[in-house]
Amino acid sequence: MTTQQVFSVCGMCTVRCPIMAEVKNDNVQLLQGNPHVPAMKGTICPKGAAGIALLHDHERIQGPMIREGKRGEGKWRQVSWDEALEETAARLKAVMDKHGARSVAFSDRSGPFKDLHQAFVRGLGSPNYTNHDSSCARNVHHACISVTGAGREELVYDYKNARHVVFQTRNIFEAINVQEVTNLTAAMDAGCKITVIDIRATISATKADRFLLVRPGSDYALNLAVIHELLFKKLYDAEYAARWINDLGQLEEFVRPYSPEWAEGETGVPAGEIRRFVQEIAAARPAVIWHPGWMTARYTDSFYVSRTAYIINALLGSIGARGGLMFTKKPGDVGRKGLNKLADLFPKPTEKRADGVGWLYKHFDAGPGLAHLVYKAMETGEPYPVKAYIAYRHDPLMGFPDPDRLRQIFDHLDLLVSVSFTWSDTAWYSDIVLPLSTYLERESIMACKNGLRPYFFVRRRAVQPRFDTRADWEIICGLARRLGIGELAFSSIEDIWNYQLEGTGVRPEDFNATGFVNLAQPVEDPPFTEPRFKTPSGKIDIISERLEKQGIPSLKPYTAPKRPPKGQFRLTFGRCAVHTQGHTVNNPMLSELMSENVLWINDRAAAELQITDGERVTVSRDGYSETIRAKVTPLIHPEAVFVVHGFGHRLPVESRAYGKGLADNCFMQGGLEIWDQAGGSIAMQEHFVTVSKC
Ligand SMILES: Nc1nc2c(c(=O)[nH]1)N[C@H]1C(S)=C(S)[C@@H](COP(=O)(O)OP(=O)(O)OC[C@H]3O[C@@H](n4cnc5c(=O)[nH]c(N)nc54)[C@H](O)[C@@H]3O)O[C@H]1N2
Ligand SMILES: Nc1nc2c(c(=O)[nH]1)N[C@H]1C(S)=C(S)[C@@H](COP(=O)(O)OP(=O)(O)OC[C@H]3O[C@@H](n4cnc5c(=O)[nH]c(N)nc54)[C@H](O)[C@@H]3O)O[C@H]1N2
Ligand code: SF4
Ligand SMILES: [Mo]
């Protein structure tokens, strides 16, 4: 048999890069970046390459499971798909009959294929679709709305044409997005400067022209000083500001006390260094990107760090500029019809959301709401009972703080269902587990990527499932059929594609050649895109009506982060290049590359505790402890310790990951209640631990 080239979408992390699989005899022989996408250049990251190991991994879920023993006990009965879907539908129905459709909550990992999930939740009649984002980027999204009126994904970073990029709380060379990295490295070759602001020297810091080591949690002070310097030294783009920014006088008055000298005391960055840095970014404007952060569910003021990052971009004139943050185009903006939405098969839910978003918390984007507040409703029964929960491609017991507490909350549910392609803590605690085929064994619905040049794309099935697993559409449509949601009971993926594409002028076979269909001509040299601020005034309102109405200050005075009590450290975390969140540490290939995490600890702090590099240490908090190897280094701030997130697995079904490394989420007791009231995200770095020799 000849080798086939199947165009697909990587599913090893949230980035979802376009890929090409070479397939022979129903076997994936090679995975690479889609060669037709210029910024991929055939490249794939190490996690992407490990997709083949995932495909053959016998330790993933091999068939539908119904719980036999107590929750979390691990006693399962493997059943047929028919039985699993019948049972799920019957138990969902029982909950809805008793408590109404609104008592069903559903969370996923957001992204381009979410329309199918949203349609299902609407079809049930529940307003409670949510996602992981209050543990990831909600603060950035809300900050972007507060400044520009547009959501975070309505702006793209034009790395390729940038002259200076500032990464604050963003480790782009380890927390990878392949196309962004390729574009950035091309810009660096052409002379683009990089500044990294972090609490430790990452790989990104080693590639930067300037590295600012800040005190953990003090970024807001630094940003206020940068605004101070831009305004008082008149280094900002006055023409842009006059045209596009309201309330500049109020901003100037507000930042008056926040000088670089003041910020030095808070952040540890010398005032002179701040001044030179500001001069440099001002000289490069408007082709500057001050990255507003991605994983910013960290502090109770992270929203304001992101918000000031957007304000700095505005002062540099970079919002809308080539080499800055450009507005994306939707199909309608280039004279094309977008995909027909599956969610539009159903009326919008009129019921209030259980998390209060949209009615109690009016400053938040209603969209997916905030998962941690949905969990709260599960416990309190307020504003109404939430009794069934489907965690779909989502592992909240690993990705939200305080898993013991979250398990107690889940104990209030009549039904917990997990849909996943690997075992996870949440799947293990569920009543029913529906195993999803890996991304190489399943096709997706059609999706649209807005950008400088919008396009439609699709994931094609590369090989048939190795185990008794199913594709998303097979699971969702199978449930819809059994629940009497006829509109969504499609019997083939082609029927779904045809519905989505109807009237767009694009046919399913148009994806055969490259895996995607461009909706506009190439944009080789993007010009300044006239900003389309969706604020009440059509400009950037520094004083945001939406925030003020909710009693939230647009300009919040700085409060210093808590200092760790003597002998303690702030627990910080992040990503590494070879793992994705919590679900690749048992991957046969990636576990070999990195089987456990280590505790970064400052060399002087370690010396005081007589801890040496490589030694096992005990990390404790409130009577809870785990052990881990120490990485003693001068390259981290002395107030912090750092681990890569996702380790410390305790499931017996994961032999390669079992007992290896430390689980940061287990040291965040009480963490479900600590969140940024202005931005909506959980604040996961507001926890302190002690470290001692074993
Ligand atoms: N303590 C702490 N908590 C964190 C973080 C942290 O650094 N520290 N990081 C936060 C961040 S940034 C995020 S985004 C969330 C992530 O939180 P999650 O989204 O829960 O994390 P994942 O490990 O990606 O979990 C996805 C689950 O879906 C399953 N799955 C099913 N199908 C697919 C698929 O097609 N692709 C993928 N990739 N998975 C699939 C995986 O097997 C896995 O069990 O966690 C957040 N929580
Ligand atoms: N390889 C890989 N790539 C990924 C993922 C993955 O799991 N693995 N996940 C994807 C996802 S879901 C996300 S959200 C993104 C996340 O992308 P990033 O947000 O860039 O990744 P992180 O490593 O979580 O955090 C970035 C940096 O913030 C630093 N930091 C911590 N506290 C502070 C602070 O107080 N101030 C400052 N200035 N810096 C601080 C950390 O040291 C870390 O280096 O990555 C995506 N890409
Ligand atoms: S960054 Fe890597 S793992 Fe993530 S989608 Fe792209 S290739 Fe896959
Ligand atoms: Mo994330």
Side-chain angles (χ1 to χ4, degrees):
M1 213 181 160
T2 52
T3 304
Q4 268 178 289
Q5 296 184 332
V6 181
F7 297 107
S8 188
V9 179
C10 182
M12 289 300 284
C13 90
T14 189
V15 173
R16 301 171 180 96
C17 295
I19 54 167
M20 186 178 83
E22 287 193 358
V23 180
K24 195 172 175 182
N25 296 332
D26 199 33
N27 246 319
V28 178
Q29 303 204 303
L30 181 71
L31 290 174
Q32 56 175 299
N34 184 334
H36 300 287
V37 177
M40 289 299 294
K41 298 201 172 91
T43 318
I44 202 168
C45 86
K47 299 165 297 149
I52 298 180
L54 168 72
L55 180 64
H56 299 292
D57 182 3
H58 282 262
E59 292 194 351
R60 65 182 164 97
I61 315 166
Q62 299 202 5
M65 302 283 177
I66 294 182
R67 176 169 67 80
E68 293 267 273
K70 282 198 252 152
R71 274 199 181 137
E73 207 180 4
K75 288 195 183 144
W76 301 100
R77 182 163 60 93
Q78 188 169 338
V79 298
S80 67
W81 271 99
D82 205 38
E83 182 175 348
L85 294 176
E86 285 292 340
E87 172 92 3
T88 309
R91 291 180 65 178
L92 279 173
K93 239 184 181 152
V95 168
M96 292 195 291
D97 286 347
K98 194 161 168 203
H99 302 283
R102 65 185 186 178
S103 63
V104 180
F106 183 111
S107 68
D108 67 8
R109 187 56 188 281
S110 188
F113 310 120
K114 64 177 180 284
D115 181 28
L116 181 66
H117 304 163
Q118 287 174 321
F120 177 68
V121 184
R122 272 200 195 177
L124 288 173
S126 171
N128 293 315
Y129 164 82
T130 186
N131 68 20
H132 72 294
D133 208 33
S134 70
S135 67
C136 178
R138 259 308 84 175
N139 282 330
V140 186
H141 180 65
H142 287 138
C144 191
I145 291 179
S146 82
V147 174
T148 69
R152 120 185 136 95
E153 290 181 347
E154 292 177 70
L155 293 174
V156 284
Y157 310 117
D158 183 18
Y159 288 118
K160 216 161 131 188
N161 297 300
R163 294 178 57 207
H164 198 133
V165 183
V166 181
F167 291 110
Q168 181 171 39
T169 327
R170 173 83 183 96
N171 182 9
I172 193 166
F173 287 105
E174 289 176 270
I176 299 163
N177 173 320
V178 174
Q179 296 190 60
E180 289 190 357
V181 169
T182 318
N183 284 332
L184 179 68
T185 45
M188 287 163 76
D189 287 344
C192 172
K193 290 232 156 63
I194 306 289
T195 293
V196 165
I197 305 166
D198 205 301
I199 55 154
R200 61 188 183 110
T202 58
I203 299 286
S204 304
T206 64
K207 295 187 187 301
D209 299 277
R210 175 179 273 109
F211 169 49
L212 305 179
L213 180 82
V214 289
R215 178 189 310 287
S218 70
D219 292 79
Y220 186 41
L222 180 74
N223 293 9
L224 291 173
V226 168
I227 295 175
H228 175 108
E229 194 67 3
L230 282 171
L231 290 177
F232 288 101
K233 292 276 168 62
K234 303 241 176 295
L235 293 169
Y236 66 101
D237 186 334
E239 211 178 295
Y240 183 98
R243 171 77 181 86
W244 294 113
I245 307 179
N246 285 328
D247 320 313
L248 207 60
Q250 271 156 287
L251 181 64
E252 197 169 284
E253 271 322 294
F254 173 72
V255 295
R256 193 175 288 279
Y258 300 123
S259 65
E261 282 70 22
W262 166 83
E264 176 174 340
E266 291 299 326
T267 62
V269 181
E273 181 72 2
I274 298 176
R275 291 215 155 88
R276 279 190 297 277
F277 167 48
V278 175
Q279 272 166 10
E280 231 176 76
I281 54 173
R285 70 174 162 77
V288 179
I289 299 167
W290 185 299
H291 197 289
W294 188 351
M295 197 299 171
T296 46
R298 294 188 192 267
Y299 300 102
T300 48
D301 71 353
S302 290
F303 167 80
Y304 288 98
V305 178
S306 260
R307 190 173 141 73
T308 42
Y310 282 109
I311 291 175
I312 293 168
N313 282 308
L315 292 172
L316 295 168
S318 73
I319 302 185
R322 181 167 188 261
L325 288 78
M326 300 189 84
F327 285 85
T328 58
K329 291 195 165 74
K330 297 193 176 76
D333 299 323
V334 294
R336 299 291 296 263
K337 181 178 180 321
L339 295 170
N340 299 301
K341 288 186 85 177
L342 293 159
D344 288 343
L345 290 165
F346 307 95
K348 269 199 181 140
T350 48
E351 201 95 52
K352 290 175 173 172
R353 295 184 56 93
D355 54 17
V357 173
W359 57 279
L360 186 59
Y361 304 108
K362 291 192 182 144
H363 58 305
F364 295 139
D365 179 14
L370 300 172
H372 60 282
L373 297 182
V374 176
Y375 302 149
K376 192 170 178 190
M378 287 173 190
E379 183 171 48
T380 61
E382 296 297 336
Y384 49 77
V386 174
K387 288 292 185 185
Y389 175 35
I390 304 174
Y392 199 109
R393 208 207 132 162
H394 187 200
D395 182 9
L397 286 175
M398 172 72 66
F400 275 86
D402 206 348
D404 285 343
R405 171 113 174 77
L406 200 48
R407 279 191 195 91
Q408 284 168 8
I409 291 176
F410 290 163
D411 286 342
H412 292 264
L413 295 168
D414 293 345
L415 176 64
L416 177 58
V417 179
S418 180
V419 184
S420 179
F421 64 23
T422 58
W423 280 107
S424 69
D425 289 352
T426 307
W428 199 248
Y429 204 68
S430 296
D431 304 317
I432 300 177
V433 180
L434 303 176
L436 198 57
S437 298
T438 65
Y439 63 98
L440 295 167
E441 306 161 297
R442 69 183 201 246
E443 53 286 284
S444 71
I445 61 169
M446 292 281 166
C448 178
K449 178 87 179 162
N450 299 325
L452 298 177
R453 190 187 188 195
Y455 61 91
F456 293 158
F457 66 102
V458 68
R459 170 184 283 147
R460 285 268 165 79
R461 189 182 291 224
V463 291
Q464 292 309 315
R466 292 296 180 256
F467 304 117
D468 192 13
T469 60
R470 293 238 170 128
D472 304 72
W473 71 270
E474 292 172 310
I475 296 174
I476 295 286
C477 298
L479 282 175
R481 190 169 312 117
R482 286 168 176 85
L483 285 158
I485 309 171
E487 297 88 332
L488 205 58
F490 290 96
S491 49
S492 74
I493 190 69
E494 287 76 18
D495 288 350
I496 299 180
W497 289 345
N498 286 328
Y499 164 83
Q500 292 182 284
L501 290 173
E502 201 189 323
T504 60
V506 177
R507 300 158 308 164
E509 54 271 31
D510 296 340
F511 295 82
N512 292 351
T514 59
F516 59 93
V517 173
N518 280 314
L519 302 178
Q521 293 306 311
V523 211
E524 281 309 327
D525 197 8
F528 177 82
T529 49
E530 185 85 342
R532 298 184 309 253
F533 296 115
K534 295 187 193 160
T535 49
S537 68
K539 294 187 187 181
I540 290 171
D541 299 319
I542 296 288
I543 306 302
S544 155
E545 203 180 286
R546 193 166 170 161
L547 291 176
E548 302 284 329
K549 264 195 192 154
Q550 196 69 18
I552 291 171
S554 304
L555 298 169
K556 188 182 85 76
Y558 177 77
T559 39
K562 268 192 231 151
R563 296 285 167 103
K566 181 132 186 61
Q568 296 189 25
F569 300 86
R570 189 180 285 272
L571 179 61
T572 70
F573 52 77
R575 265 129 281 289
C576 65
V578 299
H579 281 294
T580 299
Q581 306 293 349
H583 76 270
T584 57
V585 297
N586 198 52
N587 179 291
M589 200 163 134
L590 298 174
S591 68
E592 224 170 84
L593 285 177
M594 178 177 171
S595 62
E596 61 179 22
N597 55 1
V598 292
L599 186 83
W600 287 50
I601 182 167
N602 176 271
D603 55 351
R604 279 167 292 141
E608 272 183 39
L609 297 166
Q610 294 169 343
I611 290 169
T612 52
D613 189 36
E615 177 180 352
R616 278 203 94 74
V617 293
T618 302
V619 178
S620 318
R621 157 104 195 258
D622 296 343
Y624 178 83
S625 312
E626 292 187 31
T627 66
I628 183 171
R629 266 189 319 115
K631 173 188 162 102
V632 175
T633 167
L635 302 177
I636 182 168
H637 195 280
E639 286 185 11
V641 285
F642 172 91
V643 289
V644 169
H645 168 64
F647 285 84
H649 284 218
R650 303 279 182 268
L651 298 183
V653 278
E654 298 182 310
S655 68
R656 303 168 210 108
Y658 185 82
K660 303 224 176 91
L662 173 142
D664 55 341
N665 52 323
C666 293
F667 291 86
M668 300 176 183
Q669 292 89 335
L672 287 167
E673 317 315 322
I674 308 172
W675 56 285
D676 185 329
Q677 308 282 323
S681 294
I682 294 271
M684 293 197 227
Q685 281 189 184
E686 300 285 12
H687 301 275
F688 300 96
V689 293
T690 50
V691 180
S692 55
K693 286 171 88 72
C694 274

